[in-house]
C-alpha cells in the first residue's frame, strides 16, 4: 500500500510557536487578575450566605460541627457521583480509624438523562445487590436482619431544610434526568428503597465536598476546607451559624458551627463578569445542556478541559494549520477528547513524545509531527494550569473570608483532576503564593480521605449521636 507523507510547510515551526503565543495570552492568568477574581469571589460567598437563591448558593448542610473522631459503628454509604455509582459498607472504629468494603457500578450516559425516579430505582437495586452479597459472618459483613443507617452522597446542588432532605436546585455535570429538579431527592430515593424492601434507613443526604470535609477532619484535624476537582468542582467549609444571616430565623444556636456546601462551580454564572472566558469556553458553555450555568466549573473540571483543547484543535484544523490532507472526522465529535489525554500528554517522558503519537494515531487515526506534538503538550499545560490557578482563587476566597491565612490550614482535596493530573496540586500551591505572597505557603492541600464513603458514614454517625442526645437535627 502506498502511503503519502505530508510535508510540513517550511515555516511550520514558527507557525506553531506563533499560535502558541496567542494561546498563552488567552489562557494565562496574571497574579493581579487572580487577586481581582478572589475579591469578587469573596463577595459572592458573602452574598450567598446572606440571602437565599443566590448564584453561589452557599448551602447550609445541617452537619453541625466537627466529628470527635470517636464515632463508631457500621454504616452504609451510597455515592452517586458524576461517573460511577458506589456502594460502601463502612465500619468506623473510633480514633480516626475505619474499614471499608465497596462495589462500583458504572452509570450509562442514558441513565443520566432518563427519568429521575428510574435513576433512584437503579441506585436502590445496586444497594440491594450489595447488601445481599455482603450478608454473612465475620468482619466487613452485614448481619442477617440488621437495619443499617445509610448516608446518601448526592453530589449536586440541593437546598436542605434538614439533613435527610434535599431539593435539587439544578442538575450539573451533564446530568439532565427529568422530573427531578425542584423535588426532594431524599424522598424520591426513599420511595425507591421502599420498592425494594431494603433493611436500611436513610439518615443523611450529603454532598461529596461536605463528606470530604468531615472525613478529612476525622483523620487530620488541621483540615478546615475540602475541595473536589473531578468531573465537577466544588468546596465545603465549616461556618459559624451567626455568620449565616439567611438562616437567622431558624433558631439554631448562634454559637454553633455548620458545614456549608458552597456549590462554587456556579460562581460568575449568567453574569460572566469576572472570569476570563475565551471563545472556546463560550462554545463549551453554549453547547452544553445548561448554558450560562456552572461558569467557574466549566473552566476547571475534568468534564470540560478535554473539550476546550479539542475546540482549539478544531479551529486550527479549519484554518488549515493542523493535519492538512488528513481525515479528521474522529476529532470532530464533541467530548471525544478525554481530559485524561491532557494528563498523558503533559506527562509524556519521551523526547519524541511517543505517548502523544499513540493518542492521535490510536484514537483519532491522525499522524502528527514533533512540532505539533510539542504544541499540543504546551496547550494542555496552558489549559491545565489555568484550571489549577482558578482553583486557587476559590480556595483563597474561603481562606480570606474565614481569616485562615495567618495561622494556616490544611485543605483536603479529592477528585480525578487533583489525584491524577500531573502537577495540579503544585500549580494550586503556586497560585496561592501568587495571590497571598509568601504567606500563601501556609495553605496546603493534601489528598483527602474518601468523603463520599467514609465521610458519609461519619455524618450518619454524627446525626445518630445528635438524635440519641435529643439535639436539634433541623429547626
Ligand atoms: C458539581 C456539583 C457539586 C459537586 C461537584 C463535585 O459541582 O454541583 O454538588 O460537589 O460537582 O462533585
Amino acid at each position: 500500500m502506498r502511503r503519502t507523507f505530508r510535508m510540513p510547510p517550511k515555516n511550520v515551526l514558527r507557525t506553531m510557536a506563533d499560535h502558541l503565543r496567542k494561546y498563552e495570552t488567552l489562557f494565562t492568568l496574571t497574579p493581579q487578575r487572580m487577586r481581582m477574581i478572589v475579591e469578587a469571589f469573596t463577595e459572592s460567598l458573602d452574598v450567598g450566605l446572606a440571602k437565599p437563591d443566590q448564584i453561589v448558593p452557599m448551602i447550609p448542610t445541617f452537619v453541625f460541627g466537627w466529628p470527635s473522631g470517636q464515632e463508631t459503628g457500621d454504616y452504609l454509604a451510597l455515592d452517586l457521583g458524576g461517573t460511577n455509582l458506589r456502594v460502601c459498607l463502612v465500619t468506623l472504629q473510633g480514633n480516626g480509624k475505619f474499614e471499608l468494603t465497596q462495589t462500583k457500578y458504572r452509570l450509562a450516559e442514558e441513565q443520566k438523562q432518563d427519568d429521575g425516579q428510574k435513576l433512584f430505582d437503579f441506585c436502590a437495586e445496586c444497594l440491594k445487590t450489595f447488601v445481599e452479597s455482603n450478608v454473612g459472618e465475620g468482619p466487613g459483613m452485614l448481619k442477617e436482619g440488621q437495619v443499617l443507617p445509610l448516608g446518601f452522597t448526592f453530589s449536586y446542588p440541593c437546598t436542605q431544610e434538614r439533613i435527610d432532605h434535599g431539593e435539587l436546585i439544578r442538575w450539573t455535570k451533564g446530568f439532565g434526568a427529568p422530573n427531578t429538579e425542584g423535588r426532594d431527592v431524599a424522598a424520591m430515593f426513599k420511595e425507591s428503597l421502599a420498592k425494594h424492601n431494603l433493611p436500611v434507613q436513610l439518615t443523611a443526604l450529603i454532598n461529596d465536598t461536605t463528606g470530604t470535609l468531615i472525613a478529612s477532619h476525622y483523620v487530620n484535624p488541621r483540615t478546615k476546607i475540602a475541595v473536589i476537582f473531578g468531573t465537577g468542582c466544588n468546596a465545603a467549609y465549616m461556618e459559624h451559624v451567626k455568620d449565616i444571616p439567611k438562616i437567622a430565623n431558624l433558631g439554631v444556636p448562634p454559637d454553633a458551627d455548620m458545614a456549608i456546601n458552597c456549590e462554587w462551580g456556579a460562581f460568575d454564572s449568567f453574569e460572566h463578569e469576572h472570569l476570563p472566558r475565551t471563545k472556546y469556553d463560550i462554545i463549551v458553555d453554549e453547547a452544553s445542556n445548561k448554558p450560562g450555568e456552572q461558569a467557574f466549573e466549566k473552566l476547571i473540571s475534568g468534564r470540560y478541559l478535554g473539550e476546550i483543547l479539542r475546540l482549539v484543535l478544531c479551529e486550527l484544523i479549519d484554518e488549515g494549520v493542523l493535519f492538512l490532507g488528513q481525515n479528521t472526522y474522529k476529532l470532530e465529535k464533541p467530548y471525544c477528547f478525554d481530559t485524561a489525554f491532557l494528563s498523558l500528554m503533559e506527562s509524556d517522558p519521551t523526547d519524541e513524545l511517543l505517548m502523544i503519537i499513540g493518542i492521535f494515531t490510536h484514537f483519532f487515526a491522525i499522524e502528527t509531527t514533533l512540532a505539533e506534538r510539542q504544541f499540543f503538550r504546551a496547550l494542555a499545560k496552558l489549559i491545565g494550569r489555568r484550571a489549577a490557578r482558578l482553583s486557587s482563587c476559590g480556595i483563597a476566597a474561603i481562606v480570606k473570608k474565614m481569616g485562615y491565612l495567618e495561622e494556616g490550614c490544611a485543605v483536603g482535596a479529592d477528585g480525578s483532576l487533583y489525584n491524577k493530573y500531573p502537577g495540579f496540586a503544585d500549580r494550586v500551591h503556586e497560585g496561592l503564593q501568587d495571590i497571598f505572597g509568601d504567606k500563601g505557603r501556609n495553605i496546603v492541600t493534601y489528598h483527602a480521605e474518601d468523603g463520599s464513603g467514609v465521610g458519609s458514614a461519619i455524618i450518619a454517625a454524627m446525626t445518630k449521636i445528635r438524635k440519641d442526645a435529643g439535639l436539634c437535627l433541623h429547626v
Side-chain angles (χ1 to χ4, degrees), residues 227-437:
V227 285
I228 303 280
F229 301 117
T231 310
C233 151
N234 189 15
Y237 72 103
M238 196 60 75
E239 184 57 277
H240 313 299
V241 167
K242 66 174 171 41
D243 294 330
I244 319 176
K246 68 179 173 187
I247 60 163
N249 60 337
L250 293 188
V252 185
D255 58 346
D257 287 335
M258 197 193 284
I260 296 288
N261 162 20
C262 302
E263 286 296 335
W264 77 12
F267 171 63
D268 208 29
S269 290
F270 307 110
E271 294 167 346
H272 306 303
E273 272 174 346
H274 305 292
L275 296 170
R277 294 197 309 163
T278 65
K279 64 174 157 179
Y280 317 101
D281 301 309
I282 294 173
I283 300 175
V284 166
D285 180 35
E286 287 177 354
S288 75
N289 69 334
K290 300 277 185 173
E293 296 182 12
Q294 299 297 96
F296 188 56
E297 179 159 279
K298 281 174 178 156
L299 304 184
I300 296 180
S301 82
R303 180 168 171 83
Y304 305 101
L305 298 190
E307 180 64 1
I308 298 171
L309 187 133
R310 189 192 72 86
L311 287 168
V312 175
L313 297 189
C314 285
E315 181 181 73
L316 292 173
I317 293 170
D318 286 349
E319 288 174 1
V321 177
L322 288 177
F323 314 137
L324 270 179
Q326 297 193 66
N327 194 337
T328 53
Y329 76 98
K330 286 195 174 173
L331 250 185
E332 278 151 31
K333 190 166 162 254
Y335 289 90
C336 67
F337 206 89
D338 208 298
T339 298
F341 294 158
L342 274 69
S343 299
L344 290 169
M345 295 204 296
E346 278 214 54
S347 50
D348 191 334
T350 63
D351 290 342
E352 287 296 302
L353 300 177
L354 299 175
M355 176 66 82
I356 306 186
I357 296 187
I359 293 171
F360 279 85
T361 49
H362 183 76
F363 292 96
F364 305 106
I366 289 173
E367 285 174 28
T368 51
T369 65
L370 181 60
E372 285 168 347
R373 295 195 291 280
Q374 284 164 340
F375 168 77
F376 302 149
R377 187 199 338 232
L379 193 59
K381 194 166 167 187
L382 287 175
I383 295 171
R385 190 155 179 264
R386 182 185 68 159
R389 288 169 77 75
L390 283 170
S391 305
S392 36
C393 294
I395 297 173
I398 298 182
V399 166
K400 205 167 155 206
K401 182 185 148 29
M402 297 306 288
Y404 291 151
L405 188 59
E406 297 297 327
E407 64 177 277
C409 75
V411 180
D414 208 353
S416 46
L417 213 53
Y418 186 84
N419 297 334
K420 297 197 188 137
Y421 202 107
F424 191 86
D426 293 342
R427 289 169 179 168
V428 170
H429 292 147
E430 187 188 274
L432 285 164
Q433 285 168 47
D434 279 351
I435 296 166
F436 291 129

Side-chain angles (χ1 to χ4, degrees), residues 147-178:
V147 174
L148 281 187
L150 168 75
F152 182 18
T153 308
F154 182 77
S155 303
Y156 306 88
C158 290
T159 314
Q160 295 192 276
E161 280 169 11
R162 46 176 205 280
I163 194 147
D164 59 352
H165 161 268
E167 196 174 290
L168 179 62
I169 302 175
R170 55 177 166 262
W171 283 116
T172 54
K173 300 183 276 199
F175 272 65

